[in-house]
Amino acid sequence: GYDILSNAFLFKYLAVSRNGYALVLSANNSTRSVWTSIFDPATKAWTSAFLNKAQNGSYYFSDFKAVASDNGHFAVSWQEDQNSGNSRWVRAWSPETGWSSVFKAGYLDSSSPYYSHSTIYYHAMDINNHGGMAITWLLRENGSSNYAVHLLTRKASGEQSIHYVADVTSTADL
């Protein structure tokens, strides 16, 4: 296994649930990989898991987030910085089912006017006790200082929807 608390892993983030589960999220930019370790309060043991390898064209990870529900569900996200733009990736974990597949937070339909925009600005995320999650972020109009707030909701089943919420004229409005 991997010792994700070693110095090889440059980023380490912790999330703890009220029922005693804990998650450490970390990344190793030299191997371009994201890892976690989860503490199970019933077994009093840590289990490490490989989450994702950087996509082709990505040159480093940044802007990590890990959140916990009260009963031990977790959501993690990270940004992959690429020459062609930046992408935000997300995974969820449940005590009952383990890890979800990795998914990209953003507009995936190429006909969307927001398709080519990065989802990196001021993102926030949360997960509920049933494994449902919400992710918000700002999209900036290309070549402009205008921003718009967007929301992605994802049920524990994997069904997701994405919504435009509102325009903001400045990040000071947040």
Side-chain angles (χ1 to χ4, degrees):
Y2 282 83
D3 177 8
I4 68 168
L5 297 178
S6 75
N7 288 333
F9 289 88
L10 302 177
F11 308 102
K12 300 168 193 98
Y13 299 88
L14 174 68
V16 180
S17 68
R18 287 186 182 202
N19 67 351
Y21 281 92
L23 173 139
V24 175
L25 171 67
S26 57
N28 185 325
N29 274 333
S30 64
T31 62
R32 299 176 43 193
S33 57
V34 178
W35 289 80
T36 64
S37 193
I38 294 179
F39 178 78
D40 182 330
T43 63
K44 301 204 181 333
W46 288 89
T47 304
S48 295
F50 168 78
L51 287 191
N52 206 46
K53 183 126 176 120
Q55 305 297 305
N56 287 336
S58 296
Y59 53 94
Y60 67 88
F61 296 110
S62 62
D63 198 19
F64 290 86
K65 184 163 293 272
V67 295
S69 71
D70 290 341
N71 69 349
H73 288 84
F74 294 100
V76 298
S77 76
W78 62 92
Q79 174 181 313
E80 289 184 24
D81 297 326
Q82 303 163 325
N83 290 328
S84 61
N86 302 318
S87 299
R88 173 144 316 276
W89 297 91
V90 183
R91 286 191 80 175
W93 186 85
S94 162
E96 298 81 27
T97 60
W99 284 105
S100 71
S101 57
V102 65
F103 66 95
K104 187 176 182 179
Y107 290 87
L108 304 179
D109 180 355
S110 61
S111 67
S112 167
Y114 305 110
Y115 177 71
S116 64
H117 290 70
S118 294
T119 57
I120 62 168
Y121 298 105
Y122 297 96
H123 88 285
M125 178 174 63
D126 209 351
I127 190 164
N128 67 27
N129 285 335
H130 305 288
M133 61 173 49
I135 304 162
T136 61
W137 65 89
L138 290 181
L139 288 180
R140 186 173 66 187
E141 296 293 324
N142 291 334
S144 164
S145 60
N146 297 327
Y147 293 88
V149 177
H150 295 262
L151 167 71
L152 181 140
T153 58
R154 182 177 168 102
K155 295 180 181 178
S157 65
E159 178 187 341
Q160 63 186 45
S161 59
I162 195 164
H163 312 277
Y164 159 84
V165 177
D167 287 327
V168 293
T169 56
S170 164
T171 56
D173 293 340
L174 299 177

